[in-house]
Each structure stands twice: as structure tokens, then as C-alpha cells.
Amino acid sequence: MVRLPGRPGTRSPRRAGGVRAPAHDRAPGASEQGPGRAARRSLAGREQEAAGRSRSGLRAALSGRSVAGQVFVLQVVIVLLLVVAAVAALLLQVRHDTTQEARNRSLAVAEAFANAPGTVQALGSPDPTAVLQPRTEAARKATKVDFIVVMNTDGIRYTHPRPDRIGKKFVGNIQPALAGGTEIEEINGTIGRLVQAVVPVRAPDGKVVGLVAAGVTTEHVGGAANRQMPLVLAAAAVGLALATAGTALVSRRLLRQTHGLGPREMTRMYEHHDAVLHSVREGVLILGGDGDLLLANDEAHRLLGLPRDAERRHVSELGLPPETAALLASGRVATDEVHLVGDRLLAINQRSTDVDGGPPGSAATLRDSTELRALSGRAEVARERLSLLYDAGLGIGTSLDVTRTAEELTELAVPRFADFASVDLFEAVLGGEEPEAGNELRRAAFSGVRKDTPLYSVGERIQWVESSPQAEGLHGRAVLEPRLGEAPGWLAQDAERTAQVVEYGIHSLITVPVRAGSLILGLVNFWRCEKPEPFDAEDLALAEELVARAAVSIDNARRFTREHSMAVTLQRSLLPRTLPAQGALDIAYRYLPAQAGVGGDWFDVLPLAGARVALVVGDVVGHGLHAAATMGRLRTAVHNFSALDPPPDELLGLLDELVGRIDQDEAADPGSAPVTGATCLYAIYDPVSRRCTVARAGHPPPAVIGPDGSVEFPDVPAGPPLGLGGLPFETADLELAEGSRLVLYTDGLVEDRGRDIDDGLELLGTALAGAGPSPEDTCRAVLESELPDRPSDDIALIVARTRALAADRVAEWPVPTDPAAVGEVRASVTRQLARWGLEELTFTTELILSELVTNAIRYGGAPVRVRMLYDRSLICEVFDGSTTSPHLRYAAMTDEGGRGLFLVAQLTERWGTRYTPRGKVIWAEQPLR
């Protein structure tokens, strides 16, 4: 055999456990550089020794002396017990099932044969055996029972599988069957242990004429036990084999994992475990069941400050805080329970050691969480600040009101950020305007943890001195004053008040400007009193962020206030400020703007010729400047059209054309919106005839309250809203008794989001029926019962009580178409004026009527009439059948005529022309002196 040289640098083989082999273990002549034959022989011997040790360990494990052997024996016993129990249960179950099956089969066969066709007739035949014996044998073989016996009521057999038993007495209890019942019993019969059933055979009249018995021996039923018993025994054998294999596998695995370590190796392992125990960064305590300290590592000694002789002493004797000592002595379960020990915050975890048969006592671990607590405290502060900013985004700016937005800021900041907070704004900002230069502000909002603070109260004007932090804040920089008592600039604001503030306990201040772009709208002041810590730089940054978010909402509210004020001003300038003087109607009105903003509802009262009065109510859908401006245009148009004195339907037609033209003009402008949803109601009341002519364009109908208090809604044709075009408008003539009340309104009074217009009209009728007699009482009653809590639309309401011009104040004469009739007219006028006591107006009236009647006779057509009305003024009217409209001329010096209407215009207060279905009327009014 050729000897191989050793490889340079190869280490010598080691023993199991990693210990280097000493020199005396090496074979003589073995080189240190490589293993020789002896070394290889030694290695092979150790491998054989390990294998032998493994086999001997396995035999020892299975012998029962080791824990693995004891477990193996226990498993064998358990398997045997389970097999015995399974066999017993199987036998009992099989016996029960066998008996039950025999009972069911015998009963079924007996009843089937007793009720079979021909059984009753066979019993009545001369030789029942000859008829029934073949049948019972055939049925017995088919149903696999041991016998079927047919007998008479005395129990004498007619049939039997053994012919020698025929004619003998039946063995069994037949009394229940004779009584009409069924009997099933287990007996030891002539053919062995069996189960038999006896049933009656009934004649058609129900009489028992015979009996049928069927039986089966139990050994012929079942057989499941014979089939299942091998399976149970095979399962038991498999269980024993698995238990043996499992025990061998576990034992071999334990031997492999311990590597066959002896006492020396185990000692070294313990030393390693002890070194690890004392080198970990957590304190470890092992305590006995009586509270004695059994073991404490070095970290536990350091954290708790334990004495050197702490082991074997009770924890109450170690100088620990009472709560900590009580926890360790109790042995109760604890998870991250924090205790203050000295200047450290220790998180203690404790578990019991007597689980699963362990020794009584507990094990506790200690972790120094002082720095972690500090970090978590700072994280909690950061979380609270983020939560404050998040709530600011949700809770500030919920309304477009400057003051309310400032209040939301102070309410959010107190007490989460500051003990007191105030918002000071320029006076112009509160009115919606841009701020003016200066240091004078008005306190708009204030919140605090207490009410008796010496700080400026809400509504006060504040002039901040130049040295104060607030004055510096007005220049655009946030200021932090951690100690107010040492801030000379702030103390100079008001010596008496600032001394009271410091004495009150307010010790720290942050003032932040409310900035919107390049504008400084005011200041926000945060004061600290209850918390002893002053504000710091982080608080200043949070305050700036909080005010920056609120500043956007305050500026939005300021802009909205300005626009709203402009719209309200425009709307009020377009609505009538006072009602014109007239004598036909007593009028009361109400106008209520919507909560959402300025709308387009409007109304007007227009005196017309002949002592008549026009009432108009309109509505432009929408809110804002556009609706208000459109309303003003429509109201101006109605004023201009009413000067022509057209009927209501013609006026609405003109207004409809105007709205259509407005829509066409604005359709070309992308930034404008058409007039959609404009409605109007126009009514003319004549006190002479007491007739009211009404027309409406998409507007709610008027209401009329009679002198007796009855309420009705007249049927006025409903035209389309203005601007749609294509359909004419219709009028309705109402005759109103003197003292009636005409009620006009917009849809905001009877309709809203939660109420249908029909319900609103019904409620309005109820309110009008219970209203007082005057127009003011009527307005008050309607608004008290109909007005919503927060109206979403404008409301315009007019109540007009009618008057009638007395007959003695109306004078009328027909005039022939002869110029000579003018003299008679003058004479009649003179007499009438004398009756009225208006002699001083005789000359001017004669002159006026002379000119008007002459023009009517010369240029007009028949018939010609003259009417004088004595009302708030003296009204002269000349009717003729022509539609030619006269016009005023300015005659030259050389002209002989053309000065008539000029003289009329100079002598009267007003004059004009209106058209009727049969011609026209030229009228003139003279004031009563």
C-alpha cells in the first residue's frame, strides 16, 4: 500500500465537541501536517463508537428506563385500551343493529303476508294448509326469514317450514294479536334464538280470523362484526407500529441534538448561558414562589440598584419602591407596566414559571424606557399639533361672516393651544373693505379658560403703541414674548392694564399678523396663563400655521361681506323707499331678503291717470348682483311702460319682449347669464268703478279678503314666465267691494324646499282668514304664520285695502260734436265747482276743458264726453272715439294757433293721454290749493 504524503497546512482532527486532540492520543510517527494510518484508524473508531452509542441509546430508550421508553409504554397501553374499547363498542352496536333489523324484517313480512290477497279466504277454506303452505314457503325464501307460520285463533299452526310441526300449538304470546295488536318478542324457539312477530289477520268486517307469525334467527342477520373486526385489529397493529417508530425517532433525534455531550460539555454550555444572561441589555429577575430573589443579572442590578447580596433575599428588603416590590412579590402577569425607580422609567414584563409543571415563582424582565418615553411624549405633542391644524381646516370658515370666523379661531385655540386667544381686526375689514393704514384695531373675538381676565374685551378699539409686539406684528412679522413681565415694549402699552395682566398670571404671548396676500387684516394674540411653560419657537411656528389657515377664511368672509353689502345697497336703491301719495288704496308692505344673499324680488305702487293705481310684484330667480341688477332693469321698464298706461296684459307683453331682447344681448357675452325664471303680476285698480284688472306672467295668483273676512284666490289666467315668448297674456276683471283687501306676494312666502306651493297657499289662506282688518295687521299675521325660520328666498308682500270714490265726487256730461257746445260745458263746470267749493279753480278749469273739448270736437270723433273727478287733485278728462294722439307743439310768434296743449301743460300739474277700447282719453290734473 502506497502511503500518501500529508498536505501542508492541514489541521489535526478534533474530538466530538470541537476539542483539539492532545499529543498522547496521536499514533506514534503521525505527522502534525497530515493524518496517517493510525489517525485514520482512530477516526474510524470514533465514528463506530458514536454509532454504537446511538444504538445503545435507542435500546435504552425503548427499554422503559428513559423518558422516551416510558412514553413508548404509555402509548402501547393507550393503543391497547382503545382497541379493547373499539371492539366492545363494535360488538354492542352490532348486537343492537342485528336485533333491530330482525324485529323490523319479521314484522314487515308478517304484516305483508297477513294483508296479502287470498289470506283471509284461505283461512276460511276446508283445508287452509294445502292453500297456505306453498305460499308461506315461497314468501319465506323470498324474504330470507326462517319461518312464516299461519295459525288459527287458538294458536294451531296451518303452516311451518317443518311439516311435522303443522297442527301443533304455536310457541309464543298470541294474546296481543288476538286483541288486534302486534306482538314482537325474542325467544328461544325450536330453531334457536330468534325474533318473531305475531300479527292478526282481519276479515273485511274487522274480526280477527287468524294469526300470522314471522321469525328470523339473529345468527342469520348482520355479520358486520365479522367483517369489521379485522379492520380494528389491523388499525391497532398500525398504531403500535407508529408508536414504536415515533419513540425511536424522538430518541434518536434527542441523541443527535445533544451530540452525546457529557458532564464537561454540559458545564461549558451552562457557562455560555450564564455569560449571555449577564451581557444582555435587559434586566432579568428570577423569583421564587415566596417572593425571594433567586437570580438577577448585571443589568437588573444596575437598573434597580440592588445590593451585592440581593439573591436569596425577599424583594421587599431590597430598597425598591413599594409598588415595584409589590408587583415582583405578587408574581402576577404584567406586560410593559411602567414604574418609576429612582430617575428611571422601567417597563416591567412578568410571567409565572409554574406553567406546565414548572417550579413555582416568576420571571421578570426590565427595560429602561426613559428615553423612549421622552421620544413618545414629543411624538404625542406633534400628533396633537397636527390634529389641531386638521381641526382648523374643518372648523374655521364654516360661515362667510368675518366675526364668526374669528370666533371659530379663538374657540379652536382655547384651551388646546393657549389659555386665552383674541382676534383684533381693522374696522374696515369688519365692514368688508380693505384695511386702512394705522395701529387702531377693534377686538372682534375673544375666548379664554376664565371670564374675569383683564385683557381687552370684544368690541373695544385698541391703539397699539409702536413699542408693543402687536405693532411689530402689524408690520408683518410674528412675535414671541416668552416672559411678558420682562417685555418693556409690551408693558408700555397701558401701564395700569399690563400690570393687572401680569398680576393675573398671564406670562407668555404670541402675536401673529392675519395676512391675506400683501394685506395685513389684523392680529391674533395667544396668551398663556394656566400652563407654567412659556411659549417656545415650536409654538410660534404652530401659531403662524394656524393663523395662516384662518387668514384665508377671514379674507374670504371679508370679500363676501363686501360683495353682499354692495348687492344689498344696489337692491335697496332699486326698491321703492316710500310709497307715492294716492287715494285709491291703503297699502302696507313687507320685504324680507333671503338668508342666502341678495335676491331679485321686487314690488311697486304706480299712480295712474283717473285716480287709478297700479300694483306690481315681480321675482327674478337667483341671488346676487346679477339678480338684483336684472330686477332693477325690470322695475325701471315697468315704470316707463306704465307711463303709457297700457292694459295689464299689454304691459306684460312689452315686458316679455324686453326680457327676450336682454337675453339676446347677453347670449353674445360668455360671462353673462340670461334672465331665467322672471315672473310678474300687474294689477290696476279703479276707485270709480271699483274694478281691478289683473294679469300675471308665471307668478302666484293674488288673494282677496272680502269686507266680511272671507278669503279667496281669484282665477287669474297664468301666463308663461317672462322671456319665453310665443303665448299671449290674459287678464281677469275683479269687482272689489269697498274695504276689500288685495294681497300680492312672491313665491318665497308660500314655497320652499320642504313645502309644496299648494300647502303654502292653504296655509296662507288660513293666515289671511285670521288676520286683523288693517293692511298692517294682515302683513303681521301672514309673516308670523308663514315665514320659515331661515327663508331660502326673498319675500315681497303687499296688502292693499280698497277705497271707492263717492258718486258725488264724480261729474260727467256728454258733449255734442258742435263747437257751440263748448260754452255749455264751461257753464256746467262752473256750477259743479261751486258745489264742490272749488270756485278758485273755475277760471283755469274752464280754460283747460275749453281747449280739450275743442280739440276733441275738431280733431277727434264721436262720442265726446267730459268727466271731472274730485280726489286728492281735480282731474279733468275728455273722452272721444278717435285714436289719434295729440302732441304738444311750440308755436311761433306768427302762428295763430297751436298753443292749446301748451297752455294746458302750463296750467296743470300733469297731463296725458290713455287709450280705451273705444278711443282715447285726454286728462289733466290740477293740485288742490
Side-chain angles (χ1 to χ4, degrees), residues 113-196:
F113 197 88
N115 297 317
T119 302
V120 176
Q121 291 79 0
L123 289 173
S125 64
D127 189 2
T129 299
V131 177
L132 294 176
Q133 179 68 13
R135 294 183 183 179
T136 56
E137 286 303 302
R140 179 180 67 81
K141 295 176 182 179
T143 58
K144 298 181 180 181
V145 295
D146 291 311
F147 67 86
I148 299 176
V149 175
V150 181
M151 66 195 85
N152 60 16
T153 55
D154 295 328
I156 302 302
R157 300 187 185 101
Y158 290 144
T159 64
H160 196 276
R162 298 179 181 178
D164 58 339
R165 302 297 176 96
I166 297 174
K168 296 182 180 181
K169 184 75 173 181
F170 176 74
V171 180
N173 185 13
I174 63 173
Q175 295 304 320
L178 293 175
T182 300
E183 174 66 15
I184 303 175
E185 57 183 347
E186 297 181 28
I187 63 172
N188 292 318
T190 57
I191 58 176
R193 184 69 179 177
L194 56 85
V195 176
Q196 64 181 9

Side-chain angles (χ1 to χ4, degrees), residues 36 298 369 460 518 529 603 636 647 696 829 912:
D298 295 341
S369 63
E460 286 192 63
S518 60
C529 174
F603 66 94
T636 302
R696 61 189 179 112
V829 168

Side-chain angles (χ1 to χ4, degrees), residues 523-797:
L523 296 170
V524 179
N525 302 302
F526 301 100
W527 317 81
R528 183 162 283 181
C529 174
E530 300 288 336
K531 300 177 182 178
E533 303 85 4
F535 287 119
D536 55 19
E538 293 184 358
D539 294 325
L540 177 63
L542 176 61
E544 288 180 308
E545 180 66 22
L546 185 62
V547 174
R549 299 192 179 198
V552 177
S553 299
I554 292 176
D555 187 53
N556 289 339
R558 176 190 69 84
R559 294 173 183 271
F560 173 79
T561 301
R562 180 183 62 186
E563 294 181 2
H564 183 73
S565 300
M566 292 172 58
V568 169
T569 302
L570 173 63
Q571 184 186 41
R572 291 180 177 175
S573 67
L574 297 176
L575 291 173
R577 300 182 181 179
T578 59
L579 296 181
Q582 46 82 31
L585 298 169
D586 293 331
I587 296 177
Y589 68 91
R590 295 288 189 275
Y591 182 82
L592 299 176
Q595 295 290 336
V598 176
D601 290 14
W602 56 282
F603 66 94
D604 219 334
V605 179
L606 306 171
L608 302 178
R612 296 171 305 136
V613 178
L615 301 176
V616 59
V617 176
D619 183 9
V620 176
V621 174
H623 299 89
L625 287 175
H626 180 75
T630 304
M631 176 268 290
R633 298 170 74 176
L634 295 181
R635 180 170 179 261
T636 302
V638 171
H639 267 268
N640 294 332
F641 292 149
S642 66
L644 303 176
D645 206 348
D649 55 340
E650 293 184 12
L651 185 139
L652 292 181
L654 295 172
L655 205 60
D656 181 64
E657 293 179 5
L658 173 64
V659 173
R661 288 198 299 272
I662 292 175
D663 287 347
Q664 291 178 0
D665 294 340
E666 294 189 350
D669 185 4
S672 61
V675 181
T676 56
T679 64
C680 183
L681 185 147
Y682 190 80
I684 298 177
Y685 174 68
D686 187 353
V688 178
S689 62
R690 294 182 289 102
R691 299 190 69 83
C692 182
T693 305
V694 185
R696 61 189 179 112
H699 204 81
V704 176
I705 308 175
D708 57 351
S710 60
V711 179
E712 64 174 339
F713 292 90
D715 185 13
V716 179
L722 298 176
L724 297 182
L727 295 176
F729 298 97
E730 301 181 27
T731 61
D733 289 330
L734 310 177
E735 184 172 353
L736 304 179
E738 186 175 7
S740 299
R741 283 166 286 169
L742 182 65
V743 181
L744 309 181
Y745 52 90
T746 56
D747 59 354
L749 183 66
V750 295
E751 185 178 15
D752 58 18
R753 294 187 182 93
R755 183 175 59 187
D756 187 72
I757 187 171
D758 294 333
D759 298 333
L761 291 176
E762 183 178 355
L763 294 175
L764 176 61
T766 303
L768 293 176
S774 69
E776 282 292 337
D777 294 339
T778 304
C779 287
R780 189 180 306 110
V782 169
L783 295 185
E784 288 178 355
S785 61
E786 285 285 298
L787 184 64
D789 295 335
R790 294 180 59 85
S792 59
D793 196 4
D794 296 1
I795 295 175
L797 173 65

